[in-house]
Amino acid sequence: MYAISLGEDGAELRPLEPWLAEEFLTHIDRGREFIGQHIALPDRVTDLESSRALLQSYAEKAVAETGRIYGIWADGKLVGGVLFRTMDIEHGNAEAGCWLEPSAAGKGLVTKAARVIIDWAIEERGLHRVEWQVSAANEPSIAVARRLGMTKEGVLRQSYLYRGKRHDIEVWSVLAPEWRAAKQAS
C-alpha cells in the first residue's frame, strides 16, 4: 500500500480499503457525533459489516472509475478522509468530499488531502471539473472549498433531507484551467 505525505507533521493520505474496516469503524465511533453534524457517513457505518460494505463499495467504484475513498492518518491513527463520491471520467466531472474527527480539526489536513486528490483527478485522470457540495451550515467545509480556490456556484435550497430536516446545499467547483493557473501562481 502506498502513502502520500501531507506535510512535515507526519500525516499521510492512504487508500481506505475493505481490509481496514475495523480501523475505519473505530475512527467513525470516535468522531460519530462531530462527523454526523452535516453528513450521513456515521449513519451508514454503524457496525463492522456496514463499515466493510461501505469500503467495499468504494473499492468497486475505484475499479469502475466511478469513485474513490482515502483515509488521513496522523500519528499512525486514522483521523479523517477525503473521497470522490462520484466520478464521471467520460464527461470529466467528479464530486469530492471529506470528513474529520474532532481531534484532527483545524490542522489543514483536509485541505492538504483534497489538494492531492484533486490534482490527481485533473492532472492524471484528465478531469475538467471537480465539485464540492456542502451543507450551508458547515463552515469548516466551506472554508476548505475556498482554500482550494473553488468558486461558489449557487445554493440548492432545502435539497438535502438529513435526520428529518431539510438543509441548503452550497455547490462549489474548480475547473482544470483554474486549478492549473492557481498552481502556477503559487
Side-chain angles (χ1 to χ4, degrees):
M1 178 169 60
Y2 69 87
I4 297 171
S5 172
L6 295 177
E8 296 173 13
D9 61 0
E12 296 179 326
L13 182 69
R14 301 182 213 155
L16 256 177
E17 299 173 338
W19 64 273
L20 295 167
E22 191 170 341
E23 184 176 7
F24 183 55
L25 175 61
T26 300
H27 152 64
I28 293 296
D29 284 342
R30 278 194 308 268
R32 188 167 297 283
E33 289 306 311
F34 184 77
I35 296 166
Q37 292 176 82
H38 302 289
I39 64 170
L41 184 60
D43 298 346
R44 291 184 60 196
V45 177
T46 57
D47 56 21
L48 189 55
E49 183 180 332
S50 60
S51 178
R52 188 172 289 111
L54 182 111
L55 295 181
Q56 182 63 41
S57 74
Y58 273 93
E60 291 165 10
K61 283 183 173 193
V63 169
E65 294 194 300
T66 59
R68 295 194 179 243
I69 191 168
Y70 305 90
I72 299 169
W73 277 262
D75 299 319
K77 182 172 80 170
L78 179 62
V79 296
V82 290
L83 56 78
F84 287 117
R85 199 182 67 75
T86 62
M87 287 178 69
D88 182 341
I89 300 297
E90 181 182 350
H91 293 101
N93 299 314
E95 180 193 338
C98 67
W99 73 94
L100 203 58
E101 66 181 61
S103 68
K107 298 177 182 177
L109 294 173
V110 165
T111 303
K112 291 174 189 175
R115 270 196 188 103
V116 169
I117 69 167
I118 292 169
D119 198 63
W120 170 83
I122 290 172
E123 300 302 346
E124 300 295 323
R125 297 304 297 126
L127 295 184
H128 179 72
R129 172 190 166 85
V130 176
E131 193 170 279
W132 192 268
Q133 292 192 15
V134 55
S135 167
N138 189 345
E139 285 298 326
S141 189
I142 292 168
V144 170
R146 284 188 184 107
R147 284 192 297 274
L148 292 170
M150 293 185 162
T151 299
K152 181 178 175 181
E153 296 181 336
V155 177
L156 303 173
R157 298 179 309 137
Q158 298 186 5
S159 66
Y160 181 50
L161 180 61
Y162 181 57
R163 294 183 175 174
K165 183 180 174 194
R166 292 216 161 264
H167 299 265
D168 292 349
I169 294 295
E170 292 187 7
V171 179
W172 294 73
S173 73
V174 64
L175 305 179
E178 298 165 343
W179 184 259
R180 291 183 184 115
K183 274 182 22 181
Q184 286 182 338
S186 62

PDB file of all heavy atoms in Angstrom, residues 44-83:
ATOM      1  N   ARG A  44     -24.356   5.569   8.152  1.00  0.00           N
ATOM      2  CA  ARG A  44     -24.159   4.417   7.257  1.00  0.00           C
ATOM      3  C   ARG A  44     -23.176   3.411   7.828  1.00  0.00           C
ATOM      4  O   ARG A  44     -23.222   2.237   7.479  1.00  0.00           O
ATOM      5  CB  ARG A  44     -23.649   4.895   5.897  1.00  0.00           C
ATOM      6  CG  ARG A  44     -24.695   5.680   5.116  1.00  0.00           C
ATOM      7  CD  ARG A  44     -24.209   6.071   3.745  1.00  0.00           C
ATOM      8  NE  ARG A  44     -23.875   4.898   2.941  1.00  0.00           N
ATOM      9  CZ  ARG A  44     -23.153   4.943   1.840  1.00  0.00           C
ATOM     10  NH1 ARG A  44     -22.682   6.079   1.404  1.00  0.00           N
ATOM     11  NH2 ARG A  44     -22.889   3.848   1.171  1.00  0.00           N
ATOM     12  N   VAL A  45     -22.255   3.864   8.686  1.00  0.00           N
ATOM     13  CA  VAL A  45     -21.228   2.996   9.262  1.00  0.00           C
ATOM     14  C   VAL A  45     -21.539   2.820  10.740  1.00  0.00           C
ATOM     15  O   VAL A  45     -21.164   3.641  11.576  1.00  0.00           O
ATOM     16  CB  VAL A  45     -19.815   3.601   9.049  1.00  0.00           C
ATOM     17  CG1 VAL A  45     -18.751   2.734   9.712  1.00  0.00           C
ATOM     18  CG2 VAL A  45     -19.528   3.785   7.566  1.00  0.00           C
ATOM     19  N   THR A  46     -22.242   1.738  11.046  1.00  0.00           N
ATOM     20  CA  THR A  46     -22.715   1.529  12.415  1.00  0.00           C
ATOM     21  C   THR A  46     -22.143   0.279  13.077  1.00  0.00           C
ATOM     22  O   THR A  46     -22.221   0.137  14.293  1.00  0.00           O
ATOM     23  CB  THR A  46     -24.251   1.432  12.434  1.00  0.00           C
ATOM     24  OG1 THR A  46     -24.648   0.366  11.559  1.00  0.00           O
ATOM     25  CG2 THR A  46     -24.887   2.743  11.974  1.00  0.00           C
ATOM     26  N   ASP A  47     -21.594  -0.621  12.274  1.00  0.00           N
ATOM     27  CA  ASP A  47     -21.002  -1.854  12.792  1.00  0.00           C
ATOM     28  C   ASP A  47     -19.963  -2.334  11.782  1.00  0.00           C
ATOM     29  O   ASP A  47     -19.773  -1.711  10.732  1.00  0.00           O
ATOM     30  CB  ASP A  47     -22.077  -2.913  13.049  1.00  0.00           C
ATOM     31  CG  ASP A  47     -22.919  -3.230  11.821  1.00  0.00           C
ATOM     32  OD1 ASP A  47     -22.484  -2.979  10.676  1.00  0.00           O
ATOM     33  OD2 ASP A  47     -24.043  -3.735  12.011  1.00  0.00           O
ATOM     34  N   LEU A  48     -19.286  -3.428  12.116  1.00  0.00           N
ATOM     35  CA  LEU A  48     -18.210  -3.905  11.248  1.00  0.00           C
ATOM     36  C   LEU A  48     -18.719  -4.281   9.859  1.00  0.00           C
ATOM     37  O   LEU A  48     -18.069  -3.979   8.857  1.00  0.00           O
ATOM     38  CB  LEU A  48     -17.506  -5.100  11.904  1.00  0.00           C
ATOM     39  CG  LEU A  48     -16.227  -5.562  11.229  1.00  0.00           C
ATOM     40  CD1 LEU A  48     -15.220  -4.417  11.080  1.00  0.00           C
ATOM     41  CD2 LEU A  48     -15.620  -6.713  12.012  1.00  0.00           C
ATOM     42  N   GLU A  49     -19.885  -4.881   9.790  1.00  0.00           N
ATOM     43  CA  GLU A  49     -20.447  -5.274   8.487  1.00  0.00           C
ATOM     44  C   GLU A  49     -20.711  -4.047   7.597  1.00  0.00           C
ATOM     45  O   GLU A  49     -20.353  -4.035   6.423  1.00  0.00           O
ATOM     46  CB  GLU A  49     -21.742  -6.062   8.692  1.00  0.00           C
ATOM     47  CG  GLU A  49     -22.337  -6.564   7.397  1.00  0.00           C
ATOM     48  CD  GLU A  49     -23.623  -7.356   7.628  1.00  0.00           C
ATOM     49  OE1 GLU A  49     -23.776  -7.948   8.709  1.00  0.00           O
ATOM     50  OE2 GLU A  49     -24.462  -7.357   6.710  1.00  0.00           O
ATOM     51  N   SER A  50     -21.325  -3.018   8.158  1.00  0.00           N
ATOM     52  CA  SER A  50     -21.614  -1.816   7.352  1.00  0.00           C
ATOM     53  C   SER A  50     -20.331  -1.054   7.017  1.00  0.00           C
ATOM     54  O   SER A  50     -20.230  -0.450   5.948  1.00  0.00           O
ATOM     55  CB  SER A  50     -22.625  -0.912   8.059  1.00  0.00           C
ATOM     56  OG  SER A  50     -22.144  -0.479   9.309  1.00  0.00           O
ATOM     57  N   SER A  51     -19.353  -1.108   7.904  1.00  0.00           N
ATOM     58  CA  SER A  51     -18.063  -0.476   7.623  1.00  0.00           C
ATOM     59  C   SER A  51     -17.389  -1.157   6.434  1.00  0.00           C
ATOM     60  O   SER A  51     -16.940  -0.503   5.493  1.00  0.00           O
ATOM     61  CB  SER A  51     -17.169  -0.558   8.865  1.00  0.00           C
ATOM     62  OG  SER A  51     -15.905   0.004   8.618  1.00  0.00           O
ATOM     63  N   ARG A  52     -17.351  -2.481   6.478  1.00  0.00           N
ATOM     64  CA  ARG A  52     -16.748  -3.242   5.383  1.00  0.00           C
ATOM     65  C   ARG A  52     -17.521  -3.024   4.080  1.00  0.00           C
ATOM     66  O   ARG A  52     -16.930  -2.863   3.015  1.00  0.00           O
ATOM     67  CB  ARG A  52     -16.703  -4.734   5.732  1.00  0.00           C
ATOM     68  CG  ARG A  52     -15.920  -5.553   4.730  1.00  0.00           C
ATOM     69  CD  ARG A  52     -15.705  -6.997   5.170  1.00  0.00           C
ATOM     70  NE  ARG A  52     -14.752  -7.053   6.269  1.00  0.00           N
ATOM     71  CZ  ARG A  52     -15.069  -7.392   7.538  1.00  0.00           C
ATOM     72  NH1 ARG A  52     -16.300  -7.713   7.859  1.00  0.00           N
ATOM     73  NH2 ARG A  52     -14.138  -7.426   8.461  1.00  0.00           N
ATOM     74  N   ALA A  53     -18.844  -2.995   4.169  1.00  0.00           N
ATOM     75  CA  ALA A  53     -19.669  -2.810   2.968  1.00  0.00           C
ATOM     76  C   ALA A  53     -19.413  -1.453   2.320  1.00  0.00           C
ATOM     77  O   ALA A  53     -19.321  -1.353   1.090  1.00  0.00           O
ATOM     78  CB  ALA A  53     -21.152  -2.961   3.317  1.00  0.00           C
ATOM     79  N   LEU A  54     -19.290  -0.411   3.128  1.00  0.00           N
ATOM     80  CA  LEU A  54     -19.027   0.915   2.553  1.00  0.00           C
ATOM     81  C   LEU A  54     -17.666   0.933   1.865  1.00  0.00           C
ATOM     82  O   LEU A  54     -17.539   1.399   0.727  1.00  0.00           O
ATOM     83  CB  LEU A  54     -19.095   2.015   3.616  1.00  0.00           C
ATOM     84  CG  LEU A  54     -18.856   3.382   2.983  1.00  0.00           C
ATOM     85  CD1 LEU A  54     -20.127   4.209   2.986  1.00  0.00           C
ATOM     86  CD2 LEU A  54     -17.737   4.111   3.671  1.00  0.00           C
ATOM     87  N   LEU A  55     -16.650   0.403   2.540  1.00  0.00           N
ATOM     88  CA  LEU A  55     -15.316   0.393   1.938  1.00  0.00           C
ATOM     89  C   LEU A  55     -15.276  -0.503   0.707  1.00  0.00           C
ATOM     90  O   LEU A  55     -14.612  -0.175  -0.276  1.00  0.00           O
ATOM     91  CB  LEU A  55     -14.271  -0.028   2.966  1.00  0.00           C
ATOM     92  CG  LEU A  55     -14.092   0.937   4.141  1.00  0.00           C
ATOM     93  CD1 LEU A  55     -13.016   0.423   5.093  1.00  0.00           C
ATOM     94  CD2 LEU A  55     -13.781   2.348   3.677  1.00  0.00           C
ATOM     95  N   GLN A  56     -16.012  -1.608   0.723  1.00  0.00           N
ATOM     96  CA  GLN A  56     -16.088  -2.480  -0.457  1.00  0.00           C
ATOM     97  C   GLN A  56     -16.765  -1.758  -1.617  1.00  0.00           C
ATOM     98  O   GLN A  56     -16.339  -1.878  -2.769  1.00  0.00           O
ATOM     99  CB  GLN A  56     -16.825  -3.784  -0.128  1.00  0.00           C
ATOM    100  CG  GLN A  56     -16.892  -4.758  -1.289  1.00  0.00           C
ATOM    101  CD  GLN A  56     -15.519  -5.245  -1.731  1.00  0.00           C
ATOM    102  OE1 GLN A  56     -14.657  -5.520  -0.907  1.00  0.00           O
ATOM    103  NE2 GLN A  56     -15.304  -5.323  -3.035  1.00  0.00           N
ATOM    104  N   SER A  57     -17.802  -0.984  -1.314  1.00  0.00           N
ATOM    105  CA  SER A  57     -18.490  -0.253  -2.389  1.00  0.00           C
ATOM    106  C   SER A  57     -17.529   0.735  -3.056  1.00  0.00           C
ATOM    107  O   SER A  57     -17.572   0.915  -4.271  1.00  0.00           O
ATOM    108  CB  SER A  57     -19.738   0.460  -1.866  1.00  0.00           C
ATOM    109  OG  SER A  57     -19.408   1.609  -1.108  1.00  0.00           O
ATOM    110  N   TYR A  58     -16.631   1.345  -2.267  1.00  0.00           N
ATOM    111  CA  TYR A  58     -15.661   2.260  -2.855  1.00  0.00           C
ATOM    112  C   TYR A  58     -14.545   1.520  -3.583  1.00  0.00           C
ATOM    113  O   TYR A  58     -14.013   2.028  -4.577  1.00  0.00           O
ATOM    114  CB  TYR A  58     -15.129   3.254  -1.818  1.00  0.00           C
ATOM    115  CG  TYR A  58     -16.029   4.460  -1.736  1.00  0.00           C
ATOM    116  CD1 TYR A  58     -17.057   4.523  -0.809  1.00  0.00           C
ATOM    117  CD2 TYR A  58     -15.898   5.511  -2.636  1.00  0.00           C
ATOM    118  CE1 TYR A  58     -17.911   5.612  -0.768  1.00  0.00           C
ATOM    119  CE2 TYR A  58     -16.746   6.601  -2.598  1.00  0.00           C
ATOM    120  CZ  TYR A  58     -17.753   6.642  -1.664  1.00  0.00           C
ATOM    121  OH  TYR A  58     -18.600   7.716  -1.643  1.00  0.00           O
ATOM    122  N   ALA A  59     -14.195   0.329  -3.134  1.00  0.00           N
ATOM    123  CA  ALA A  59     -13.227  -0.486  -3.882  1.00  0.00           C
ATOM    124  C   ALA A  59     -13.793  -0.810  -5.267  1.00  0.00           C
ATOM    125  O   ALA A  59     -13.085  -0.746  -6.273  1.00  0.00           O
ATOM    126  CB  ALA A  59     -12.904  -1.765  -3.108  1.00  0.00           C
ATOM    127  N   GLU A  60     -15.075  -1.130  -5.303  1.00  0.00           N
ATOM    128  CA  GLU A  60     -15.733  -1.415  -6.577  1.00  0.00           C
ATOM    129  C   GLU A  60     -15.836  -0.157  -7.439  1.00  0.00           C
ATOM    130  O   GLU A  60     -15.657  -0.209  -8.660  1.00  0.00           O
ATOM    131  CB  GLU A  60     -17.100  -2.038  -6.321  1.00  0.00           C
ATOM    132  CG  GLU A  60     -16.986  -3.437  -5.732  1.00  0.00           C
ATOM    133  CD  GLU A  60     -18.265  -3.982  -5.131  1.00  0.00           C
ATOM    134  OE1 GLU A  60     -19.353  -3.371  -5.313  1.00  0.00           O
ATOM    135  OE2 GLU A  60     -18.179  -5.042  -4.482  1.00  0.00           O
ATOM    136  N   LYS A  61     -16.108   0.988  -6.795  1.00  0.00           N
ATOM    137  CA  LYS A  61     -16.128   2.257  -7.544  1.00  0.00           C
ATOM    138  C   LYS A  61     -14.753   2.553  -8.131  1.00  0.00           C
ATOM    139  O   LYS A  61     -14.650   3.043  -9.257  1.00  0.00           O
ATOM    140  CB  LYS A  61     -16.555   3.420  -6.640  1.00  0.00           C
ATOM    141  CG  LYS A  61     -18.029   3.498  -6.355  1.00  0.00           C
ATOM    142  CD  LYS A  61     -18.310   4.736  -5.504  1.00  0.00           C
ATOM    143  CE  LYS A  61     -19.795   4.968  -5.328  1.00  0.00           C
ATOM    144  NZ  LYS A  61     -20.070   6.299  -4.774  1.00  0.00           N
ATOM    145  N   ALA A  62     -13.696   2.280  -7.385  1.00  0.00           N
ATOM    146  CA  ALA A  62     -12.342   2.541  -7.883  1.00  0.00           C
ATOM    147  C   ALA A  62     -12.058   1.697  -9.126  1.00  0.00           C
ATOM    148  O   ALA A  62     -11.512   2.198 -10.109  1.00  0.00           O
ATOM    149  CB  ALA A  62     -11.305   2.264  -6.796  1.00  0.00           C
ATOM    150  N   VAL A  63     -12.450   0.439  -9.093  1.00  0.00           N
ATOM    151  CA  VAL A  63     -12.254  -0.437 -10.249  1.00  0.00           C
ATOM    152  C   VAL A  63     -13.040   0.080 -11.454  1.00  0.00           C
ATOM    153  O   VAL A  63     -12.548   0.094 -12.576  1.00  0.00           O
ATOM    154  CB  VAL A  63     -12.659  -1.897  -9.912  1.00  0.00           C
ATOM    155  CG1 VAL A  63     -12.715  -2.752 -11.166  1.00  0.00           C
ATOM    156  CG2 VAL A  63     -11.698  -2.486  -8.899  1.00  0.00           C
ATOM    157  N   ALA A  64     -14.260   0.539 -11.209  1.00  0.00           N
ATOM    158  CA  ALA A  64     -15.125   1.044 -12.285  1.00  0.00           C
ATOM    159  C   ALA A  64     -14.826   2.500 -12.637  1.00  0.00           C
ATOM    160  O   ALA A  64     -15.416   3.038 -13.568  1.00  0.00           O
ATOM    161  CB  ALA A  64     -16.595   0.912 -11.876  1.00  0.00           C
ATOM    162  N   GLU A  65     -13.904   3.123 -11.897  1.00  0.00           N
ATOM    163  CA  GLU A  65     -13.556   4.539 -12.065  1.00  0.00           C
ATOM    164  C   GLU A  65     -14.763   5.454 -11.887  1.00  0.00           C
ATOM    165  O   GLU A  65     -14.942   6.426 -12.618  1.00  0.00           O
ATOM    166  CB  GLU A  65     -12.864   4.789 -13.402  1.00  0.00           C
ATOM    167  CG  GLU A  65     -11.516   4.113 -13.487  1.00  0.00           C
ATOM    168  CD  GLU A  65     -10.688   4.615 -14.644  1.00  0.00           C
ATOM    169  OE1 GLU A  65     -11.132   4.479 -15.802  1.00  0.00           O
ATOM    170  OE2 GLU A  65      -9.606   5.163 -14.377  1.00  0.00           O
ATOM    171  N   THR A  66     -15.577   5.152 -10.870  1.00  0.00           N
ATOM    172  CA  THR A  66     -16.740   5.988 -10.572  1.00  0.00           C
ATOM    173  C   THR A  66     -16.669   6.608  -9.184  1.00  0.00           C
ATOM    174  O   THR A  66     -17.605   7.291  -8.760  1.00  0.00           O
ATOM    175  CB  THR A  66     -18.042   5.173 -10.704  1.00  0.00           C
ATOM    176  OG1 THR A  66     -17.999   4.060  -9.803  1.00  0.00           O
ATOM    177  CG2 THR A  66     -18.249   4.690 -12.129  1.00  0.00           C
ATOM    178  N   GLY A  67     -15.563   6.404  -8.467  1.00  0.00           N
ATOM    179  CA  GLY A  67     -15.387   6.977  -7.146  1.00  0.00           C
ATOM    180  C   GLY A  67     -14.150   6.419  -6.482  1.00  0.00           C
ATOM    181  O   GLY A  67     -13.586   5.414  -6.937  1.00  0.00           O
ATOM    182  N   ARG A  68     -13.723   7.060  -5.394  1.00  0.00           N
ATOM    183  CA  ARG A  68     -12.549   6.618  -4.626  1.00  0.00           C
ATOM    184  C   ARG A  68     -12.671   7.146  -3.212  1.00  0.00           C
ATOM    185  O   ARG A  68     -13.307   8.167  -2.983  1.00  0.00           O
ATOM    186  CB  ARG A  68     -11.256   7.139  -5.239  1.00  0.00           C
ATOM    187  CG  ARG A  68     -11.013   6.549  -6.617  1.00  0.00           C
ATOM    188  CD  ARG A  68      -9.596   6.809  -7.063  1.00  0.00           C
ATOM    189  NE  ARG A  68      -9.429   6.191  -8.365  1.00  0.00           N
ATOM    190  CZ  ARG A  68      -8.588   5.203  -8.618  1.00  0.00           C
ATOM    191  NH1 ARG A  68      -7.846   4.718  -7.679  1.00  0.00           N
ATOM    192  NH2 ARG A  68      -8.483   4.709  -9.834  1.00  0.00           N
ATOM    193  N   ILE A  69     -11.998   6.465  -2.284  1.00  0.00           N
ATOM    194  CA  ILE A  69     -12.000   6.902  -0.894  1.00  0.00           C
ATOM    195  C   ILE A  69     -10.595   6.742  -0.318  1.00  0.00           C
ATOM    196  O   ILE A  69      -9.913   5.756  -0.596  1.00  0.00           O
ATOM    197  CB  ILE A  69     -13.058   6.131  -0.068  1.00  0.00           C
ATOM    198  CG1 ILE A  69     -13.254   6.747   1.311  1.00  0.00           C
ATOM    199  CG2 ILE A  69     -12.723   4.653   0.020  1.00  0.00           C
ATOM    200  CD1 ILE A  69     -14.476   6.225   2.054  1.00  0.00           C
ATOM    201  N   TYR A  70     -10.163   7.743   0.445  1.00  0.00           N
ATOM    202  CA  TYR A  70      -8.833   7.778   1.036  1.00  0.00           C
ATOM    203  C   TYR A  70      -8.948   8.171   2.502  1.00  0.00           C
ATOM    204  O   TYR A  70      -9.769   9.002   2.866  1.00  0.00           O
ATOM    205  CB  TYR A  70      -7.947   8.819   0.342  1.00  0.00           C
ATOM    206  CG  TYR A  70      -7.844   8.627  -1.140  1.00  0.00           C
ATOM    207  CD1 TYR A  70      -8.740   9.240  -2.009  1.00  0.00           C
ATOM    208  CD2 TYR A  70      -6.847   7.826  -1.683  1.00  0.00           C
ATOM    209  CE1 TYR A  70      -8.653   9.062  -3.382  1.00  0.00           C
ATOM    210  CE2 TYR A  70      -6.752   7.645  -3.052  1.00  0.00           C
ATOM    211  CZ  TYR A  70      -7.659   8.270  -3.902  1.00  0.00           C
ATOM    212  OH  TYR A  70      -7.566   8.091  -5.246  1.00  0.00           O
ATOM    213  N   GLY A  71      -8.065   7.603   3.322  1.00  0.00           N
ATOM    214  CA  GLY A  71      -8.014   7.975   4.721  1.00  0.00           C
ATOM    215  C   GLY A  71      -6.867   8.930   4.988  1.00  0.00           C
ATOM    216  O   GLY A  71      -5.862   8.935   4.272  1.00  0.00           O
ATOM    217  N   ILE A  72      -7.039   9.725   6.034  1.00  0.00           N
ATOM    218  CA  ILE A  72      -5.985  10.610   6.517  1.00  0.00           C
ATOM    219  C   ILE A  72      -5.522  10.039   7.857  1.00  0.00           C
ATOM    220  O   ILE A  72      -6.327   9.877   8.780  1.00  0.00           O
ATOM    221  CB  ILE A  72      -6.505  12.048   6.707  1.00  0.00           C
ATOM    222  CG1 ILE A  72      -6.997  12.628   5.380  1.00  0.00           C
ATOM    223  CG2 ILE A  72      -5.421  12.926   7.337  1.00  0.00           C
ATOM    224  CD1 ILE A  72      -7.756  13.942   5.520  1.00  0.00           C
ATOM    225  N   TRP A  73      -4.229   9.734   7.947  1.00  0.00           N
ATOM    226  CA  TRP A  73      -3.648   9.228   9.182  1.00  0.00           C
ATOM    227  C   TRP A  73      -2.739  10.290   9.776  1.00  0.00           C
ATOM    228  O   TRP A  73      -1.954  10.913   9.060  1.00  0.00           O
ATOM    229  CB  TRP A  73      -2.832   7.970   8.916  1.00  0.00           C
ATOM    230  CG  TRP A  73      -3.620   6.709   8.863  1.00  0.00           C
ATOM    231  CD1 TRP A  73      -3.779   5.809   9.878  1.00  0.00           C
ATOM    232  CD2 TRP A  73      -4.358   6.185   7.763  1.00  0.00           C
ATOM    233  NE1 TRP A  73      -4.582   4.763   9.470  1.00  0.00           N
ATOM    234  CE2 TRP A  73      -4.937   4.971   8.174  1.00  0.00           C
ATOM    235  CE3 TRP A  73      -4.605   6.629   6.460  1.00  0.00           C
ATOM    236  CZ2 TRP A  73      -5.735   4.195   7.334  1.00  0.00           C
ATOM    237  CZ3 TRP A  73      -5.397   5.866   5.631  1.00  0.00           C
ATOM    238  CH2 TRP A  73      -5.952   4.666   6.060  1.00  0.00           C
ATOM    239  N   ALA A  74      -2.844  10.509  11.074  1.00  0.00           N
ATOM    240  CA  ALA A  74      -1.952  11.406  11.818  1.00  0.00           C
ATOM    241  C   ALA A  74      -1.431  10.628  13.017  1.00  0.00           C
ATOM    242  O   ALA A  74      -2.222   9.979  13.726  1.00  0.00           O
ATOM    243  CB  ALA A  74      -2.701  12.662  12.260  1.00  0.00           C
ATOM    244  N   ASP A  75      -0.138  10.652  13.214  1.00  0.00           N
ATOM    245  CA  ASP A  75       0.486   9.890  14.308  1.00  0.00           C
ATOM    246  C   ASP A  75       0.061   8.421  14.277  1.00  0.00           C
ATOM    247  O   ASP A  75      -0.203   7.814  15.318  1.00  0.00           O
ATOM    248  CB  ASP A  75       0.155  10.522  15.664  1.00  0.00           C
ATOM    249  CG  ASP A  75       0.672  11.949  15.777  1.00  0.00           C
ATOM    250  OD1 ASP A  75       1.801  12.195  15.308  1.00  0.00           O
ATOM    251  OD2 ASP A  75      -0.059  12.796  16.314  1.00  0.00           O
ATOM    252  N   GLY A  76      -0.061   7.861  13.074  1.00  0.00           N
ATOM    253  CA  GLY A  76      -0.395   6.460  12.912  1.00  0.00           C
ATOM    254  C   GLY A  76      -1.853   6.110  13.138  1.00  0.00           C
ATOM    255  O   GLY A  76      -2.219   4.935  13.119  1.00  0.00           O
ATOM    256  N   LYS A  77      -2.705   7.111  13.333  1.00  0.00           N
ATOM    257  CA  LYS A  77      -4.117   6.872  13.630  1.00  0.00           C
ATOM    258  C   LYS A  77      -4.984   7.472  12.539  1.00  0.00           C
ATOM    259  O   LYS A  77      -4.782   8.616  12.130  1.00  0.00           O
ATOM    260  CB  LYS A  77      -4.448   7.514  14.990  1.00  0.00           C
ATOM    261  CG  LYS A  77      -5.874   7.307  15.442  1.00  0.00           C
ATOM    262  CD  LYS A  77      -6.080   7.803  16.874  1.00  0.00           C
ATOM    263  CE  LYS A  77      -6.260   9.299  16.907  1.00  0.00           C
ATOM    264  NZ  LYS A  77      -6.698   9.818  18.208  1.00  0.00           N
ATOM    265  N   LEU A  78      -5.969   6.709  12.075  1.00  0.00           N
ATOM    266  CA  LEU A  78      -6.931   7.202  11.091  1.00  0.00           C
ATOM    267  C   LEU A  78      -7.779   8.291  11.748  1.00  0.00           C
ATOM    268  O   LEU A  78      -8.421   8.042  12.767  1.00  0.00           O
ATOM    269  CB  LEU A  78      -7.815   6.057  10.597  1.00  0.00           C
ATOM    270  CG  LEU A  78      -8.898   6.416   9.578  1.00  0.00           C
ATOM    271  CD1 LEU A  78      -8.299   6.973   8.290  1.00  0.00           C
ATOM    272  CD2 LEU A  78      -9.762   5.186   9.284  1.00  0.00           C
ATOM    273  N   VAL A  79      -7.760   9.506  11.164  1.00  0.00           N
ATOM    274  CA  VAL A  79      -8.469  10.644  11.778  1.00  0.00           C
ATOM    275  C   VAL A  79      -9.470  11.317  10.844  1.00  0.00           C
ATOM    276  O   VAL A  79     -10.181  12.229  11.246  1.00  0.00           O
ATOM    277  CB  VAL A  79      -7.477  11.705  12.318  1.00  0.00           C
ATOM    278  CG1 VAL A  79      -6.635  11.138  13.450  1.00  0.00           C
ATOM    279  CG2 VAL A  79      -6.601  12.274  11.194  1.00  0.00           C
ATOM    280  N   GLY A  80      -9.531  10.887   9.590  1.00  0.00           N
ATOM    281  CA  GLY A  80     -10.458  11.509   8.650  1.00  0.00           C
ATOM    282  C   GLY A  80     -10.250  10.953   7.257  1.00  0.00           C
ATOM    283  O   GLY A  80      -9.572   9.941   7.079  1.00  0.00           O
ATOM    284  N   GLY A  81     -10.830  11.642   6.300  1.00  0.00           N
ATOM    285  CA  GLY A  81     -10.661  11.184   4.936  1.00  0.00           C
ATOM    286  C   GLY A  81     -11.218  12.145   3.908  1.00  0.00           C
ATOM    287  O   GLY A  81     -11.885  13.131   4.244  1.00  0.00           O
ATOM    288  N   VAL A  82     -10.891  11.844   2.677  1.00  0.00           N
ATOM    289  CA  VAL A  82     -11.404  12.569   1.515  1.00  0.00           C
ATOM    290  C   VAL A  82     -11.843  11.520   0.500  1.00  0.00           C
ATOM    291  O   VAL A  82     -11.394  10.373   0.537  1.00  0.00           O
ATOM    292  CB  VAL A  82     -10.351  13.522   0.902  1.00  0.00           C
ATOM    293  CG1 VAL A  82     -10.069  14.701   1.822  1.00  0.00           C
ATOM    294  CG2 VAL A  82      -9.058  12.791   0.557  1.00  0.00           C
ATOM    295  N   LEU A  83     -12.712  11.929  -0.379  1.00  0.00           N
ATOM    296  CA  LEU A  83     -13.221  10.962  -1.345  1.00  0.00           C
ATOM    297  C   LEU A  83     -13.709  11.654  -2.597  1.00  0.00           C
ATOM    298  O   LEU A  83     -13.908  12.862  -2.623  1.00  0.00           O
ATOM    299  CB  LEU A  83     -14.350  10.135  -0.728  1.00  0.00           C
ATOM    300  CG  LEU A  83     -15.564  10.862  -0.137  1.00  0.00           C
ATOM    301  CD1 LEU A  83     -16.540  11.344  -1.178  1.00  0.00           C
ATOM    302  CD2 LEU A  83     -16.282   9.946   0.830  1.00  0.00           C
TER     303      LEU A  83
END
